[in-house]
Structures are given as C-alpha cells and as structure tokens.
Amino acid sequence: MKLTRGKITELVNEPGCEHNHSHAGQPNKKACKQQAQPGAAQGGCAFDGASIALVPITDAAHLVHGPIACSGNSWGSRGSLSSGPVTYKTGFTTDLTENDIIFGGEKRLYQAIAQIVKHHQPAAVFVYSTCVTALIGDDLDAVCEAAAQKFGTPVIPVHAAGFVGSKNLGNRLAGEALLDHVVGTAEPEYTTPYDINLIGEYNIAGEMWNVIPLLEKVGIRVLSKITGDARYQEICYAHRAKLNVMICSKALINMARKMEEKYGIPFIEESFYGIDDMNRCLRNIAEKFGDPALKQRVEKLIASENAALDQKLAPYRSRLKGKRVVLYTGGVKSWSIISAAKDLGIEVVATSTKKSTEEDKARIKQLLGKDGITIEKGSPQELLKVIEQTGADLLIAGGRNQYTALKARVPFLDINQERHHAYAGYEGMIEMAKELEEALYSPIWEQLRTPAPWETGKGEQSPVTSDQLTVTSANLRPGGFRQKHSSQS
C-alpha cells in the first residue's frame, strides 16, 4: 500500500464512521476530518495509533524504522496480555543515525530484518515508517518485499508516519496494512457455521478471557482476534468468518466495512461492559446467525449467568447504591461503562464525549438523562469544576487523571489501557464492583478530608520559651537537638 494523499483522504472520510454522516441535513465537520497540527503530539500521532492496533499480535516482531526516540513500545506499559508468545513485548528499531538520514536507511532496514528473523524467528515482521524515514523517502515496500522473499518470513510495511494525522487515522492505516498484506493469505484448518472475528479488542488485562469462554459455551467460535492475544496466522484467515463483532467503533471501522464489501462478512458493534450490554451482545450475535437452537442456548446461558451474578453482586450493590461518579474516557467506554455502573446502582452524573461517534453520543444522552453532563474537553480545571458541581464521590478515568482526583480529594478508578483489572463480561462486573468498593471505602479518604489541626486551631500549642529550652554544644546530636529543662521543672 502506497501512502498517498488520496489514501489519507479516503480513510479520513471513511463512510462507515458516524462522524462523516450528515445530521439534520447539515454536513458533519468534526472528529475524523480534523487534522492534527504539525508538532502537536498530545493525544497520539498516526504512528502511535498504528502500533496500538498491531503490536498486540503476540508472535510477530514489530520493527520501528526511524530514530531510536520513536521506538518506545507503548504496550510495555499497557495491559494487553498474551496466552502464549511474548515476542510483541520486545521493541525493535533500526536506530537511524545522521549518516543514515543523509544517505538513506534502506540497507540498515534490510539488515535489521535479517537480524530479527535469524535471532527471534517471528511469525512475521511488521515494519513501521516514521516521520524521518517518510521524509527521506525510504522505499519500505521494496525492502519488505525483498526481505520476505529472501528469508521466507512475511514482512509487512506499515505506512503510518506520525505527521500524516491523528492516532485514529493511524488505527485505520494499520487496518489497511492487514487488509492489503495479511487477511486472505491463508486458510483455516476447518470452519464452523458460527465463526466470528473480534475487531478492535486488545485483551487489556486479559478481558477477552472473560468473554471467549461464554461464546464457546453456546457454540460460537472466535476465528480471529484483531488484535488482542492474536497470532499472525489467525489474522491471515480472518476472511472466512461469518460475522465481525466490532468492539471499538472508531479504531478499525474501515477494516470491518471493507471486509463486508470484499468477503461479504456483516458486522455489528457491541460492548462487553455491563450485564445488560453483555446480554445484548450475546443475543445480537445469535440474532445475526438466525439459528433458533443457538438463540435458545444463549438465553439459557444468560439466565444462568445472571442468576449467579445477582448473588455475587448483592453485597457490593448495597454499599455502592446511590454513589455518584464522573466518567472521563473515550470511544465506546464513554457509554458502555455507564451501563455497567447502573447495573451496580451507581449514578453517572457526567461523562466525556471525547473520541465518541455520533451514535455514541446518542447513547450517552439516553443513558445519562436530561440532567447528565457531557464533557467535551476534560482539562483538569474542567474536571475539578464538574466534580464539585455534581458532588461526585468518585472519578473513573485514565491513569493520568489520578492526580486530578487527588486534588479533588475523591477516590479514583483507572479504566483505560494501563489498568491491571479485567472489567469485561460477567466476571468483569464482579471485579469492577470489588475495585469500586475498595476505592470508595478506603479509610484514607476520611483522613484526607479531615481538616488539618492548624486549619481548625485545635492543634495550636504555646510557644517554647528560652528558659525552657537551652541549646548548647553539649545538646547537639546528629540529626537534631534535645531539650534541656530548667532546674525548676
């Protein structure tokens, strides 16, 4: 895939994305069509977005072609887990020098691929362009093709230089790389009538392991995971699935739409967070297959899981009921976590609409009600204002907002990629309830909100006079001094 202006325009104007649909006769000019300002890296660049989407392919090597500063492996701090290979956790870079930039880095790239194949034997090598290598004009496609033929290992170029756009555009460029070089290049050993792909699910904290067993209980097989806990080979035969289930509405929508056009695979968008959403997900998948026996199995599973869950959640619900939280996250979680919170008796009084599609926003309004507050840009000042205004008991957000919660003296729960707890599926609801209860009822918050003695005047003491305290050379000791009382005391 050559990265041209036409390709970028095509992805920015992705027809499957709700941001590009007109509403009430007015064209939509938000979100995807907004281009990042040059030099503005906050929120992630296209390179970051591409690596986020592809690095969870666990048995592949991910080689960053550029200066070493670009080679930070963000999944080292994210909780995307693997049930097997851990090749994806090793960061590889060509570490370009000034000479390489002047004379070209293609030879260095070829040597790096050769070294990776020799010493690590990955299932495939993904090569990421960066701003520098895109500017100097290194021919990624030619080098990757030559290396693949020489070493017999698939080498996939990923054209997602940081300056071409936002992190979301990088997600889509990653999807294009999979469509152009991976999907459709192999066949599965066998297929079933109930094969599905999960798209936009990255197995954060092992969340997929809460969901896949549920699907297997009713006879639904996850053929390919794109890309959490994925193996390269399974993505090669993803075109044989009967249904694509989108978990993140923005990340890889172009991939789902193009697979429908090319292979006739329909797609639906679902959420694994919350009891109602998990129930709905199972029912919608069964409805798409149209098999009465499958629907019956799904209903039986839902009844069994919900009955067991009600018992396990009862003690948590009694302690969480009526608590008010502010939710600041993005995409599908901006509404799916509201549903999960309601299942626990918690009231979400405000949520963000950052990175949310128009469909997401419609769901948010429906779930929040007329009094709910939507946050477009959640600066620390804005979040502090909303917490005070709503009297919130808790802030649920990404890790970098924990210090905002401390300033507001309210508990905090991490909901983004860096978390270490799985909240998806029915088991995830129990884990979420446990974490929420522990955060809300930690004794530290009562102590933190208690005024300090010098603020109330209760801790004031009379000053020490000179005749009560004499400091001489004999009194001095390492680390301080001791009191010497008068003879009258």
Side-chain angles (χ1 to χ4, degrees):
M1 177 194 74
K2 292 290 185 181
L3 187 58
T4 63
R5 183 179 294 275
K7 173 59 70 175
I8 294 173
T9 302
E10 173 194 332
L11 293 174
V12 169
N13 294 287
E14 166 59 44
C17 179
E18 285 289 329
H19 283 132
N20 293 314
H21 293 176
S22 61
H23 298 274
Q26 298 297 320
N28 198 327
K29 297 181 180 180
K30 295 181 180 179
C32 301
K33 294 187 178 182
Q34 292 179 348
Q35 293 298 295
Q37 294 180 358
Q42 186 176 9
C45 62
F47 163 72
D48 185 36
S51 65
I52 283 173
L54 296 178
V55 168
I57 303 174
T58 59
D59 58 354
H62 300 270
L63 173 61
V64 178
H65 184 38
I68 197 167
C70 293
S71 67
N73 187 340
S74 62
W75 286 102
S77 61
R78 284 181 165 90
S80 179
L81 302 185
S82 170
S83 58
V86 291
T87 308
Y88 75 121
K89 285 294 186 181
T90 301
F92 299 97
T93 177
T94 51
D95 185 18
L96 295 189
T97 64
E98 291 180 355
N99 279 343
D100 297 314
I101 294 170
I102 294 169
F103 297 108
E106 293 175 4
K107 183 177 180 180
R108 195 177 186 92
L109 173 59
Y110 186 88
Q111 291 172 342
I113 296 170
Q115 185 177 356
I116 290 171
V117 172
K118 178 181 178 181
H119 293 286
H120 299 273
Q121 295 87 43
V125 180
F126 286 85
V127 179
Y128 301 81
S129 66
T130 57
C131 295
V132 171
T133 51
L135 285 170
I136 66 177
D138 278 359
D139 193 341
L140 236 65
D141 295 275
V143 176
C144 290
E145 184 178 355
Q149 292 178 357
K150 174 68 174 178
F151 306 118
T153 298
V155 183
I156 296 93
V158 182
H159 295 277
F163 60 73
V164 302
S166 65
K167 181 166 66 174
N168 181 237
L169 179 60
N171 296 151
R172 296 180 183 178
L173 289 167
E176 292 295 307
L178 294 179
L179 288 169
D180 291 343
H181 301 284
V182 185
V183 176
T185 60
E187 296 293 334
E189 293 182 4
Y190 67 95
T191 60
T192 77
Y194 309 113
D195 286 344
I196 68 170
N197 296 326
L198 297 180
I199 299 181
E201 166 54 54
Y202 303 123
N203 198 36
I204 302 298
E207 287 189 331
M208 262 195 323
W209 302 333
N210 287 347
V211 176
I212 290 179
L214 296 172
L215 298 170
E216 291 175 344
K217 283 182 180 179
V218 297
I220 297 170
R221 181 174 73 147
V222 177
L223 183 67
S224 302
K225 304 175 290 290
I226 305 175
T227 56
D229 193 22
R231 311 294 183 266
Y232 176 79
Q233 188 70 15
E234 72 184 72
I235 301 176
C236 294
Y237 50 66
H239 63 298
R240 294 305 182 195
K242 308 300 188 298
L243 177 68
N244 281 329
V245 180
M246 288 284 304
I247 306 305
C248 181
S249 58
K250 288 185 65 179
L252 294 169
I253 183 66
N254 59 310
M255 193 170 184
R257 181 184 63 81
K258 290 185 177 182
M259 288 181 73
E260 183 172 32
E261 291 178 355
K262 187 173 182 180
Y263 303 110
I265 307 173
F267 70 91
I268 56 176
E269 183 190 350
E270 299 298 334
S271 166
F272 294 151
Y273 299 105
I275 302 171
D276 288 342
D277 284 353
M278 192 64 233
N279 293 346
R280 187 182 304 111
C281 172
L282 293 170
R283 286 178 175 134
N284 287 347
I285 293 173
E287 184 66 31
K288 276 292 182 180
F289 284 116
D291 183 346
L294 177 61
K295 293 180 183 179
Q296 189 175 5
R297 292 196 297 271
V298 165
E299 292 301 330
K300 185 177 179 181
L301 175 68
I302 289 173
S304 172
E305 292 288 340
N306 283 208
L309 200 56
D310 283 341
Q311 280 190 329
K312 293 177 181 177
L313 288 179
Y316 295 109
R317 282 172 170 157
S318 64
R319 288 171 63 81
L320 296 176
K321 186 176 181 181
K323 297 297 182 181
R324 299 161 65 85
V325 306
V326 171
L327 174 63
Y328 185 68
T329 182
V332 69
K333 291 197 295 292
S334 59
W335 57 267
S336 60
I337 298 299
I338 300 177
S339 177
K342 284 191 170 185
D343 290 335
L344 298 171
I346 294 173
E347 181 186 359
V348 177
V349 293
T351 188
S352 65
T353 55
K354 183 182 180 182
K355 302 179 184 177
S356 299
T357 66
E358 295 300 323
E359 187 177 1
D360 290 338
K361 292 176 183 178
R363 290 176 179 176
I364 288 170
K365 289 180 181 178
Q366 183 180 4
L367 288 166
L368 279 185
K370 63 179 181 179
D371 296 327
I373 299 172
T374 56
I375 307 168
E376 186 68 34
K377 294 182 180 180
S379 64
Q381 294 89 343
E382 180 68 19
L383 286 174
L384 288 170
K385 179 181 177 182
V386 170
I387 290 169
E388 182 180 4
Q389 178 183 344
T390 59
D393 301 297
L394 177 82
L395 174 64
I396 301 178
R400 62 185 176 184
N401 292 295
Q402 61 183 314
Y403 304 107
T404 303
L406 287 173
K407 289 178 182 178
R409 298 184 181 183
V410 297
F412 170 80
L413 186 70
D414 190 352
I415 198 64
N416 281 358
Q417 295 94 332
E418 298 83 5
R419 68 181 183 274
H420 300 285
H421 301 278
Y423 299 141
Y426 300 120
E427 287 297 321
M429 279 299 298
I430 300 171
E431 185 66 27
M432 181 181 289
K434 177 184 175 183
E435 292 298 315
L436 285 167
E437 189 214 27
E438 288 182 353
L440 284 163
Y441 286 95
S442 171
I444 189 63
W445 300 110
E446 184 179 352
Q447 297 177 36
L448 189 62
R449 293 166 186 153
T450 302
W454 55 84
E455 293 177 341
T456 61
K458 294 180 179 180
E460 293 182 357
Q461 299 179 358
S462 57
V464 179
T465 60
S466 59
D467 61 343
Q468 291 175 313
L469 178 63
T470 303
V471 180
T472 65
S473 59
N475 299 138
L476 296 177
R477 294 290 184 272
F481 57 85
R482 67 181 183 183
Q483 287 186 349
K484 180 179 179 181
H485 297 283
S486 64
S487 58
Q488 297 177 351
S489 60

